[in-house]
Amino acid sequence: GLSYTWIFNNNTLRVQEDGRRFVSQETGNLYIAKVEPSDVGNYTCVVTNSEAEQSVQGPPTPLTLRSDGVMGEYEPKIEVRFPETTYAAKGSSVKLECFALGK
């Protein structure tokens, strides 16, 4: 089992406490909705393999805000990748991920 966490400016990012950010445990991707000036900084992904009891840290990726107000070439769109059939045991939890992509 791999798990993913993100470090923001040398501090572990607590996405559970923030409704604007989400880390996909499927891909490790970090999603940020409605980027604000407080989001500017360096983001570093940490991948942990619990079976091997090892973690690997990637290089920091800077996030900056554009000051020109140009949104970019991509229009927002909703992307859903649900399996054709999802099975779940009674009383268990199921998580389905859906994202709005764009700039």
Side-chain angles (χ1 to χ4, degrees), residues 6 10 15 17 23 25-26 33 36 41 52-53 56 68 74 85 89:
W6 283 82
N10 299 318
V15 294
E17 301 165 10
V23 175
Q25 290 303 310
E26 191 73 28
E36 299 175 354
E53 297 180 0
V56 176
D68 59 11
Y74 302 105
T85 305

Side-chain angles (χ1 to χ4, degrees), residues 1-99:
L2 297 178
S3 63
Y4 305 91
T5 55
W6 283 82
I7 296 172
F8 173 60
N9 292 336
N10 299 318
N11 296 308
T12 301
L13 192 61
R14 307 271 182 226
V15 294
Q16 297 84 358
E17 301 165 10
D18 182 354
R20 294 185 314 106
R21 293 181 265 200
F22 174 77
V23 175
S24 169
Q25 290 303 310
E26 191 73 28
T27 64
N29 292 344
L30 170 65
Y31 297 89
I32 304 173
K34 298 180 183 175
V35 175
E36 299 175 354
S38 62
D39 296 318
V40 170
N42 289 311
Y43 291 83
T44 304
C45 182
V46 179
V47 181
T48 301
N49 183 330
S50 58
E51 293 177 21
E53 297 180 0
Q54 289 186 325
S55 293
V56 176
Q57 183 172 314
T61 301
L63 177 92
T64 57
L65 291 181
R66 293 181 67 151
S67 60
D68 59 11
V70 177
M71 292 291 284
E73 63 185 78
Y74 302 105
E75 293 294 323
K77 66 177 184 172
I78 300 295
E79 185 169 305
V80 180
R81 293 185 194 155
F82 296 140
E84 193 167 310
T85 305
T86 302
Y87 297 97
K90 183 178 179 179
S92 66
S93 297
V94 176
K95 181 170 80 171
L96 301 174
E97 297 178 355
C98 178
F99 301 100

